[in-house]
Amino acid sequence: MAIPDFLREIRTTLGHQLLFLPGVSAVVLDDGGRVLLGRRSDTGRWSIIGGIPEPGEQPAEAIVREVYEETAVDCVAERVVLVQTLDPVTYPGGDRCQYLDICFRCRATGGEARVNDDESLEVGWFRPDALPPMREYETFRIKQALADAPTWFESPS
């Protein structure tokens, strides 16, 4: 996976220590209600599209950029579906990160879905009732995006 230059610079002094980062993800829907997914090159798993905002970049702008970079699909961010701190992850090189994910429902506006960078092995549109196996946190985001419910967040204990 491509590491943004600003993170590469931070890692030169931080090493592999846990780094808390903003993240964005998208449930992209087409006019037929299908969901855009990518099969990740790092895990081989199907996933919603996501990434990291660049410094100074607004979250909605970042997810629109990420969707295009990974899938060649143009989209607009319609609303925030969910805000959630994810569990920490350790990458193969040893870097540890934890993300505060802002998930958007997006509407596809153009482009042809295809692999557009090295982060995906495949890209495709799926009916919500025929999704490939995915992690629960991703299917939860899809359900929230389709429900037209208010923005979801974990209630304070």
Side-chain angles (χ1 to χ4, degrees):
M1 306 308 286
I3 299 172
D5 289 339
F6 80 95
L7 279 181
R8 190 172 287 110
E9 290 176 27
I10 291 171
R11 285 292 182 195
T12 62
T13 57
L14 186 65
H16 298 302
Q17 291 181 54
L18 182 66
L19 182 58
F20 190 69
L21 293 167
V24 289
S25 61
V27 177
V28 182
L29 303 171
D30 69 4
D31 290 338
R34 296 178 303 168
V35 179
L36 179 64
L37 300 175
R39 193 163 68 84
R40 297 175 57 102
S41 61
D42 61 345
T43 65
R45 301 176 81 146
W46 285 98
S47 178
I48 60 175
I49 309 304
I52 302 168
E54 295 288 332
E57 187 177 35
Q58 293 297 324
E61 179 183 13
I63 197 55
V64 167
R65 174 184 53 76
E66 288 285 348
V67 169
Y68 184 78
E69 285 178 359
E70 294 181 26
T71 69
V73 170
D74 294 310
C75 69
V76 294
E78 295 184 319
R79 72 177 181 87
V80 174
V81 170
L82 173 148
V83 177
Q84 183 181 36
T85 298
L86 302 177
D87 291 334
V89 295
T90 302
Y91 290 99
D95 290 346
R96 295 176 45 229
C97 295
Q98 185 171 26
Y99 297 97
L100 172 63
D101 181 45
I102 302 170
C103 182
F104 291 88
R105 182 178 70 190
C106 296
R107 181 175 41 86
T109 59
E112 187 75 27
R114 63 179 170 81
V115 173
N116 204 33
D117 66 11
D118 63 353
E119 294 187 39
S120 299
L121 300 171
E122 296 178 73
V123 171
W125 293 101
F126 295 84
R127 290 189 342 262
D129 62 350
L131 297 172
M134 294 172 32
R135 291 175 285 198
E136 187 278 329
Y137 82 87
E138 293 171 314
T139 58
F140 181 70
R141 282 157 172 69
I142 293 169
K143 289 176 189 172
Q144 288 298 114
L146 296 172
D148 281 328
T151 301
W152 182 92
F153 54 90
E154 284 194 40
S155 299
S157 301

